Amino acid sequence: MIVTFDNLSADVLARARNTQLVIFDIDGVLTDGSLFYGDDGQEYKAFNSKDGHGIRMLLESGLEMALITGRQSELVLHRADNLKIPRDRIWQGYRDKRPAFVDLLAKTGLKPENIAYVGDDVVDLPVMAQVGLAIAVGDAHYYVKQHAHWVTQTNGGRGAGREVCEMLLHAHGKLHSKLASYLT
């Protein structure tokens, strides 16, 4: 699938340009939502490497990143460490994600309009309703899509994270130079 950003509305583009930090949910956004358990009860998740590279490009370009998830998993910390997402930007075990969002605002000093949130299910809506740019992944719950400013073409865990990162880089005028840097 080829994703272009030529059809972004002026509203979404303005909201994306105003974004300084993006929050990603984990299950259903950076994974496809599947949960695998071993006989010992150990939980496993599959993360998309393209999403990871998109996150790295975004961080290298000066935008900030945070993770807020309803589940608690050491895997999330390992993945965040791999991507260089600071641990003080990770909130786990928050089914109600609003307290984590309030904490994030206090830690960063950012205003809600400077934040994007990427979600897939109804538990994401309370924070999505407060941020400047609410994004739903392509296979998000229909109600979440109805309340998003923008919906990715790709599904959660299947490149939606990369699409979000590239859209934000595009809006900030950094995508072309970032991609071109791989040819030098």
Side-chain angles (χ1 to χ4, degrees):
M1 173 185 288
I2 297 174
V3 176
T4 63
F5 305 109
D6 299 330
N7 61 348
L8 290 175
S9 72
D11 178 61
V12 168
L13 204 51
R15 290 172 182 276
R17 283 187 186 121
N18 200 36
T19 297
Q20 298 175 32
L21 181 146
V22 59
I23 302 168
F24 282 96
D25 175 34
I26 300 292
D27 297 311
V29 173
L30 293 180
T31 75
D32 69 3
S34 297
L35 298 174
F36 302 95
Y37 291 96
D39 288 339
D40 60 357
Q42 178 67 38
E43 182 178 302
Y44 300 92
K45 301 174 191 266
F47 293 94
N48 186 297
S49 64
K50 291 181 181 95
D51 290 348
H53 192 74
I55 289 170
R56 283 192 172 174
M57 290 192 310
L58 202 63
L59 290 169
E60 290 168 0
S61 296
L63 273 79
E64 295 183 67
M65 184 78 43
L67 305 172
I68 301 177
T69 181
R71 300 181 62 79
Q72 184 81 31
S73 174
E74 284 296 312
L75 291 169
V76 171
L77 296 177
H78 294 299
R79 183 64 172 150
D81 289 346
N82 178 260
L83 297 173
K84 310 288 191 253
I85 299 171
R87 290 223 172 167
D88 70 343
R89 295 290 194 268
I90 303 165
W91 287 264
Q92 294 194 78
Y94 284 84
R95 180 167 166 77
D96 179 354
K97 298 178 181 187
R98 290 173 291 195
F101 182 62
V102 169
D103 192 32
L104 173 72
L105 293 174
K107 282 184 177 181
T108 63
L110 291 173
K111 295 181 175 146
E113 60 264 23
N114 300 119
I115 298 175
Y117 185 97
V118 188
D120 72 305
D121 212 340
V122 294
V123 297
D124 297 311
L125 286 172
V127 175
M128 289 175 74
Q130 296 182 59
V131 297
L133 178 58
I135 301 170
V137 296
D139 59 343
H141 188 276
Y142 74 91
Y143 199 64
V144 175
K145 289 180 181 182
Q146 288 176 357
H147 289 86
H149 297 113
W150 185 63
V151 178
T152 65
Q153 292 178 40
T154 47
N155 292 340
R158 299 286 184 243
R162 177 67 167 266
E163 186 178 342
V164 168
C165 293
E166 289 191 0
M167 185 276 282
L168 290 169
L169 289 169
H170 169 79
H172 284 263
K174 297 180 178 184
L175 180 60
H176 179 72
S177 62
K178 191 66 180 165
L179 293 176
S181 72
Y182 292 100
L183 295 174
T184 59

